Amino acid sequence: MKCLLVALELVGLASWGIAASAHADDADADTVVVTAPFDLPASLDKTGTPISDVPRSIQVVPRELIDQQGATELKETLRNVSGVTQGGQFAFGFFDRFIVRGLNATYLTDGLPDGTSDLSGTVHSLTGVERVEILKGPGSALFGSTEPGGTINLVHARPTDIASASVSEQYGSYNTTTTSASLNGATGLPGLNGRLDGEFQHSSGFREQRNETGEIYGSLGYHRANHDILLRFEYHHLQNRPDASGIPFGVPSGTGRPLDVPATNTYYTPYAFANQDIKRIFLSDAWTVDEHLVVNLRGAYSDRDLDLARNAGGRLTAAGNTFSLTGRQLREQHDKVQDAIFQAEPTWKFSAGPFPTTLVTGAEARRIDAHTQRRTADLPSIPNIFSPVTPEANLAAPTFLCNASHSCNDADLDARFYGLYGIAQIDLSERLKLRFSGREDWFRTEAEGRSVIPTNPGSEHPCTPLRATTCPFVPGQPVESDNALFSWDAGALYRLADGVSVFGGYSTSSYPIFNTEEPQSVGQLPEKGTQVEAGLKIQRSGWLSLSSSLFRTTRENVYTILLVPNPAGPGNLDEAQVFSYRVKGWETDLALQPIDRLNITANFTLQTPTLTDYPQAPALVGNQVPSVPTRLANLWTSYDITLPDPIRTLQIAAGARYRNREYGDAGQTRILPGATQIDLVLAIPRDRWTVRAGVENVFDRLNYLYAAGTGSGAIPGEGRTYFASIAIKAF
């Protein structure tokens, strides 16, 4: 780790010196932008203010960098942003879950919510994605119900009147094939352009986790009479074999690390599956009323079907001279979710006295209707953890039950969200910028049983009046929660010199708990969070972008479920937990082009995640928060070498990824060791085609992504992998 940090520092200092010299000699030299520069706005900011003038940490990953690294999914490109790591508890292996600054993140697609929760979501591909934007810290004052860690926005390419067509094919380890295609141009009708993006991916999968994805995006853009209208339809078909078990942690008398067994060992049901079909329609209109007022209207409707069977539970039990994995269960679940949202957002640009001001006002309404069903079966034990054989023959063999020791539900869940908000960006001078945002949200969530089922950990809530026991959801007796919450943020930015600014701010978040994974959480109090941040931004003529900040974030009133053995018999029980924690840290993001052919992207995070309130086990207060590493570092650099025809240019790119150890539980008894991984990519870019080949984790370092959602093991990351691709632009 020390070597990697020293290397990052030396690269930055040496490149700064080279760049200063090179750009001093030729200040007007053409440069290639290696990342979205701070003098451009990020769409998730809403005001159109350049990132350099926003007193918040915002990072943008452009398409050029995504392609250079051979990324096809969101999880493969967030390495380029400080403070972001994959996983977290209750990541069940079939959807994206990321931690930003030690807290959970919210997803947007082109500025509108993508999913109802950080639980039981989807794997986000990069089909048609133009860039990925990340706002660090709470975003509730901008977007309403959001997680306190940050907001990740996938911005898709819009139709234009410039004709273009492309196709790409990538092949990699585990027989992974990714076929992508796009078509864009004018339709022949005045002002109407069209775009079509599609992708199909198939993989046998690391650790036999087979997956298949098919996606298509069809877009129409209409420009006429001061209106910029976009209509898009999306269809996603996803099939995954989820691993919610991982590699068991060491035996009770061991080190607490994952078992010293091959990473290819599997302990999950080989017949597990998670299949999703998602249909989404998106409509927006930017109506330019005059030079001072633009009215943005946005709406989206999505329909999501999820069928899954995943593992739950598992503990090590002495069996003669070895250990067996007992207490295994299989949960079968079906969700049907419909989500509709509408925003009306006038944006005003005017002068308040001598002060140029951008004022965004808005109203939002959102309705979510969901139905969820679940049942649970006990599975046979795996007799020998060092030579695992899963005894279940097929999905028809287990007997699915619904009782006190077998999680089950059959319920309708409904949510109604309404919000009013305002965002003001004020230029008090050329040097001093102020930012204020405030939002009032009204949340109403409800759950009601569709059939009579017994009280169990998947369908229970506090009784009214309160009793020592809990009550199940039953027909005709909805459990409701009404909340009115105010979120705000405020900040200031001051330019010390041309291209050099300092900033600081405070922000809050509000997050009512609503998801099909934990319907019993509907009646709980909303989560809350805060962030204090102070930082530095440097932008130099497109060849240097640097952002460095100190932060303190909190997450309060966290409601979650932990799986524990059933003391009354076989199986497991879900136990409610409510706790709070904070994260203090420092992070830096650097994008540098010291000379025309050399690009460097690097980031570093140092953070201290601490439990501040844990009523169920007060002695654990002060411990490190599970699933949050204390150090993260990433480096990516590319260099273009000029060669004779027919090659002309050979691009050499290499990267390093580092994450130190983290804990898989609040008691700090389960340790996920850290790792440093090295990647290498070679490419031949031409006008109409690009050939690329790469090796990831060159030295085949053992690494782990996160502790399994069921708490039974650690999910290993891939070893050495390979990929090769060709991308062709037809015109």
Side-chain angles (χ1 to χ4, degrees):
M1 173 59 190
K2 291 183 178 178
C3 293
L4 180 59
L5 295 181
V6 171
L8 286 173
E9 293 177 3
L10 291 177
V11 166
L13 292 173
S15 301
W16 185 295
I18 294 171
S21 175
H23 287 271
D25 293 338
D26 188 7
D28 296 326
D30 293 334
T31 60
V32 178
V33 176
V34 294
T35 188
F38 289 163
D39 54 3
L40 294 179
S43 59
L44 54 63
D45 172 63
K46 289 182 176 286
T47 66
T49 303
I51 297 175
S52 58
D53 287 345
V54 178
R56 292 287 301 267
S57 288
I58 297 176
Q59 295 296 321
V60 178
V61 183
R63 185 75 215 191
E64 293 79 8
L65 186 55
I66 292 171
D67 290 339
Q68 192 179 99
Q69 296 172 341
T72 61
E73 295 179 347
L74 177 62
K75 64 185 178 183
E76 298 168 334
T77 196
L78 289 180
R79 62 184 290 174
N80 300 298
V81 182
S82 65
V84 182
T85 186
Q86 185 182 355
Q89 292 182 313
F90 305 100
F92 300 119
F94 66 93
F95 58 90
D96 284 338
R97 197 150 196 246
F98 299 102
I99 306 296
V100 182
R101 290 185 170 176
L103 287 70
N104 292 337
T106 293
Y107 306 97
L108 306 177
T109 294
D110 297 308
L112 290 182
D114 183 358
T116 59
S117 169
D118 66 311
L119 288 178
S120 190
T122 66
V123 173
H124 295 86
S125 80
L126 297 171
T127 306
V129 170
E130 186 178 78
R131 64 186 184 275
V132 179
E133 304 174 340
I134 301 93
L135 171 72
K136 307 286 188 66
S140 290
L142 298 172
F143 306 109
S145 173
T146 61
E147 297 275 14
T151 305
I152 301 172
N153 185 32
L154 280 72
V155 181
H156 291 80
R158 297 171 64 95
T160 68
D161 58 2
I162 301 175
S164 65
S166 66
V167 63
S168 68
E169 180 68 29
Q170 181 165 302
Y171 181 81
S173 299
Y174 316 114
N175 294 316
T176 302
T177 61
T178 305
T179 304
S180 302
S182 70
L183 180 65
N184 176 78
T187 64
L189 298 176
L192 186 65
N193 305 315
R195 183 179 179 93
L196 190 65
D197 292 282
E199 181 176 286
F200 177 79
Q201 184 177 82
H202 170 85
S203 177
S204 298
F206 175 55
R207 305 181 75 241
E208 302 178 14
Q209 289 181 257
R210 183 182 183 275
N211 64 82
E212 190 170 285
T213 301
E215 297 183 306
I216 188 167
Y217 294 75
S219 303
L220 289 174
Y222 181 70
H223 303 265
R224 200 168 182 85
N226 298 325
H227 287 271
D228 183 0
I229 300 173
L230 176 66
L231 172 65
R232 183 171 65 241
F233 174 78
E234 308 171 16
Y235 175 72
H236 310 258
H237 177 73
L238 302 94
Q239 293 181 314
N240 296 281
R241 181 177 294 163
D243 178 9
S245 298
I247 303 290
F249 284 94
V251 296
S253 60
T255 63
R257 294 172 178 265
L259 289 176
D260 186 15
V261 298
T264 52
N265 277 12
T266 59
Y267 301 83
Y268 65 88
T269 299
Y271 311 103
F273 67 88
N275 300 334
Q276 302 190 58
D277 284 291
I278 303 167
K279 298 175 284 291
R280 187 173 192 259
I281 188 169
F282 175 94
L283 179 63
S284 68
D285 178 20
W287 173 29
T288 303
V289 179
D290 56 38
E291 61 179 331
H292 302 292
L293 174 62
V294 176
V295 179
N296 287 289
L297 303 175
R298 306 183 192 94
Y301 173 81
S302 63
D303 181 277
R304 175 172 174 254
D305 270 298
L306 167 66
D307 278 299
L308 71 90
R310 65 167 178 84
N311 287 93
R315 59 184 179 274
L316 297 183
T317 303
N321 295 325
T322 185
F323 287 85
S324 61
L325 188 62
T326 63
R328 301 173 65 238
Q329 289 189 331
L330 185 69
R331 288 186 180 173
E332 188 178 72
Q333 186 168 328
H334 175 71
D335 291 346
K336 175 76 171 177
V337 182
Q338 296 173 321
D339 186 358
I341 186 170
F342 176 76
Q343 292 178 349
E345 199 173 84
T347 300
W348 312 77
K349 292 185 180 293
F350 58 92
S351 292
F355 309 127
T357 301
T358 299
L359 176 64
V360 178
T361 56
E364 178 180 294
R366 186 182 184 190
R367 174 174 179 170
I368 304 171
D369 296 307
H371 174 62
T372 182
Q373 287 180 301
R374 178 195 295 169
R375 55 183 187 160
T376 301
D378 293 322
L379 295 176
S381 301
I382 294 177
N384 186 347
I385 60 174
F386 296 102
S387 182
V389 176
T390 49
E392 54 267 27
N394 52 59
L395 282 178
T399 300
F400 287 92
L401 301 172
C402 178
N403 55 39
S405 60
H406 294 82
S407 178
C408 58
N409 58 46
D410 182 13
D412 285 327
L413 283 74
D414 303 292
R416 306 291 183 267
F417 302 151
Y418 305 97
L420 295 174
Y421 54 94
I423 309 161
Q425 177 82 20
I426 306 170
D427 295 349
L428 290 185
S429 68
E430 285 295 319
R431 293 182 178 272
L432 181 58
K433 319 290 179 178
L434 297 182
R435 178 66 166 259
F436 302 98
S437 303
R439 177 167 174 144
E440 182 74 18
D441 282 287
W442 296 267
F443 308 109
R444 181 181 178 85
T445 55
E446 177 183 298
E448 179 181 343
R450 286 171 54 99
S451 61
V452 177
I453 59 176
T455 303
N456 73 86
S459 180
E460 60 183 350
H461 62 87
C463 301
T464 304
L466 291 175
R467 298 201 303 262
T469 58
T470 57
C471 293
F473 293 103
V474 297
Q477 297 181 23
V479 177
E480 302 173 346
S481 178
D482 288 280
N483 295 280
L485 300 172
F486 182 74
S487 305
W488 63 280
D489 69 47
L493 179 142
Y494 185 77
R495 291 183 183 173
L496 298 174
D498 186 26
V500 180
S501 303
V502 292
F503 68 94
Y506 180 85
S507 54
T508 68
S509 71
S510 56
Y511 182 67
I513 305 170
F514 183 84
N515 61 70
T516 58
E517 179 60 33
E518 301 168 339
Q520 63 270 43
S521 67
V522 168
Q524 306 300 312
L525 293 175
E527 289 186 13
K528 294 184 179 180
T530 64
Q531 175 177 271
V532 180
E533 181 181 26
L536 169 72
K537 295 183 181 183
I538 300 176
Q539 172 78 23
R540 291 293 187 185
S541 303
W543 59 269
L544 169 66
S545 296
L546 182 143
S547 177
S548 185
S549 59
L550 298 168
F551 62 89
R552 180 185 183 276
T553 61
T554 67
R555 186 181 177 204
E556 302 171 359
N557 197 39
V558 184
Y559 176 83
T560 189
I561 300 290
L562 298 181
L563 208 64
V564 298
N566 180 11
N572 299 283
L573 296 176
D574 286 323
E575 181 178 288
Q577 300 278 308
V578 180
F579 61 94
S580 302
Y581 64 92
R582 69 165 181 265
V583 183
K584 297 179 180 179
W586 165 62
E587 61 186 26
T588 296
D589 292 86
L590 170 70
L592 182 64
Q593 188 181 45
I595 56 178
D596 285 347
R597 296 180 176 274
L598 177 63
N599 291 323
I600 299 170
T601 302
N603 61 74
F604 174 71
T605 304
L606 179 65
Q607 55 191 9
T608 304
T610 307
L611 287 168
T612 56
D613 183 33
Y614 205 76
Q616 292 78 10
L620 299 185
V621 171
N623 280 6
Q624 184 173 323
V625 179
S627 303
V628 183
T630 57
R631 293 190 298 276
L632 296 164
N634 296 279
L635 172 67
W636 184 263
T637 181
S638 65
Y639 186 76
D640 294 347
I641 301 174
T642 301
L643 297 174
D645 283 338
I647 295 179
R648 297 186 187 176
T649 301
L650 174 65
Q651 184 181 82
I652 301 176
R657 294 171 282 156
Y658 172 79
R659 192 204 73 234
N660 78 320
R661 76 173 188 178
E662 62 187 62
Y663 292 104
D665 65 330
Q668 300 185 169
T669 64
R670 294 172 173 172
I671 302 171
L672 275 75
T676 300
Q677 301 176 67
I678 305 298
D679 309 312
L680 177 65
V681 177
L682 300 178
I684 302 174
R686 299 293 296 269
D687 293 338
R688 291 292 178 88
W689 55 266
T690 299
V691 175
R692 183 172 281 113
V695 183
E696 297 182 341
N697 196 359
V698 173
F699 299 108
D700 200 22
R701 291 292 304 277
L702 178 65
N703 65 97
Y704 294 91
L705 301 178
Y706 51 87
T710 58
S712 60
I715 302 295
E718 295 178 347
R720 184 188 300 114
T721 59
Y722 308 87
F723 76 88
S725 68
I726 181 169
I728 301 173
K729 296 179 181 178
F731 53 86

